[in-house]
Amino acid sequence: MTNEYRSLKGHVYDYIVDLIDGGALADDHKISEQQICEALGVSRTPVREALIQLASDGYLENVPRKGFYVKSVTEDSAREIVEVIGPLDGRAALLAVDRMTDEDLAQLQFLHGSMELAIEKRLYKKYDDLQRDFHACYMEKCGNARLVELIRQLNRCFMKREYARVAESDLDGLLRQANDEHAEIVRLFESRDGAGLQRYIRDVHWSDDNAKFLVWQ
């Protein structure tokens, strides 16, 4: 019974995340528990528990006596998050640099090349998936589980990927710039320059310009 309940809760959780991620639920949209129950054919209990978990994970805001709303990210809040995640991501790279194998470095190169191809073909959501894999590649080698969880929690604030809101000419340039930065990150990993990696990721890759881009999504 417990395993079945947990499976239902997880299914509801993933369903709501997909709706937010795909833009079906916009910023500040109130979540209808009844609609989710009807769409998935489940009771209110796993829906309620999934909503509470989503609020805890940063996807939703739980407003007392009003319900759950999709959390919006303003330019100011994005800048605050970037100011925190930059040092954390840079620290993860520093800790990972000596743990990265030749195979790991080859994977970073592959992901960088795949992102370049995704930009060329205008597969922007594919690019986003790849860049998440790129950062996870070294983050998971840092050896600090608490640090990894903190970064993942902050990244959840930027999980919506509504690239249609951005003019294609602007988006193309922004993604090319970001992928040039990924190339530099690969170079620094190959050079085993931990201090350089930490500074570059903190001060360049996670900059105020990055924060503005994240709000556009």
Side-chain angles (χ1 to χ4, degrees), residues 126-184:
K126 180 62 175 177
Y127 168 90
D128 191 73
D129 290 334
L130 291 166
Q131 70 88 15
R132 290 168 191 257
D133 291 342
F134 179 91
H135 288 278
C137 185
Y138 63 82
M139 185 177 67
E140 292 172 359
K141 299 297 289 282
C142 77
N144 187 322
R146 290 181 181 272
L147 178 58
V148 170
E149 182 52 36
L150 281 171
I151 294 172
R152 285 177 176 165
Q153 184 174 358
L154 289 166
N155 268 322
R156 292 185 186 115
C157 298
F158 301 129
M159 52 87 69
K160 293 183 289 298
R161 303 176 294 180
E162 299 170 43
Y163 291 116
R165 294 183 180 183
V166 186
E168 189 167 300
S169 58
D170 293 332
L171 182 58
D172 185 84
L174 286 165
L175 295 185
R176 289 184 185 279
Q177 177 184 332
N179 211 32
D180 287 344
E181 293 169 11
H182 291 140
E184 177 63 10

Side-chain angles (χ1 to χ4, degrees), residues 4-175:
E4 180 183 358
Y5 169 72
R6 287 179 177 173
S7 176
L8 282 174
K9 175 186 172 183
H11 181 55
V12 175
Y13 184 104
D14 291 341
Y15 173 77
I16 298 172
V17 166
D18 286 343
L19 290 178
I20 299 172
D21 186 45
L25 297 177
D27 289 351
D28 299 320
H29 183 100
K30 183 178 180 180
I31 305 296
S32 170
E33 295 183 33
Q34 183 61 36
Q35 287 181 358
I36 295 171
C37 290
E38 293 174 357
L40 298 179
V42 298
S43 68
R44 283 188 176 272
T45 300
V47 172
R48 186 73 180 179
E49 291 295 327
L51 291 172
I52 292 171
Q53 186 65 51
L54 285 160
S56 176
D57 289 346
Y59 292 113
L60 304 178
E61 183 177 3
N62 187 1
V63 181
R65 297 182 297 279
K66 290 187 177 181
F68 294 87
Y69 292 79
V70 178
K71 185 175 288 186
S72 61
V73 180
T74 65
E75 187 171 323
D76 286 341
S77 62
R79 184 176 295 108
E80 290 175 355
I81 295 167
V82 163
E83 287 173 354
V84 176
I85 199 172
L88 293 177
D89 194 26
R91 182 66 179 177
L94 172 64
L95 293 174
V97 66
D98 291 330
R99 301 168 180 259
M100 297 287 281
T101 65
D102 290 342
E103 290 77 13
D104 293 326
L105 297 177
Q107 179 68 3
L108 285 182
Q109 283 281 18
F110 171 78
L111 289 168
H112 169 259
S114 298
M115 283 186 279
E116 199 70 26
L117 185 60
I119 296 170
E120 293 289 344
K121 293 185 176 295
R122 301 177 183 175
L123 300 173
Y124 299 130
K125 289 190 176 182
K126 180 62 175 177
Y127 168 90
D128 191 73
D129 290 334
L130 291 166
Q131 70 88 15
R132 290 168 191 257
D133 291 342
F134 179 91
H135 288 278
C137 185
Y138 63 82
M139 185 177 67
E140 292 172 359
K141 299 297 289 282
C142 77
N144 187 322
R146 290 181 181 272
L147 178 58
V148 170
E149 182 52 36
L150 281 171
I151 294 172
R152 285 177 176 165
Q153 184 174 358
L154 289 166
N155 268 322
R156 292 185 186 115
C157 298
F158 301 129
M159 52 87 69
K160 293 183 289 298
R161 303 176 294 180
E162 299 170 43
Y163 291 116
R165 294 183 180 183
V166 186
E168 189 167 300
S169 58
D170 293 332
L171 182 58
D172 185 84
L174 286 165
L175 295 185

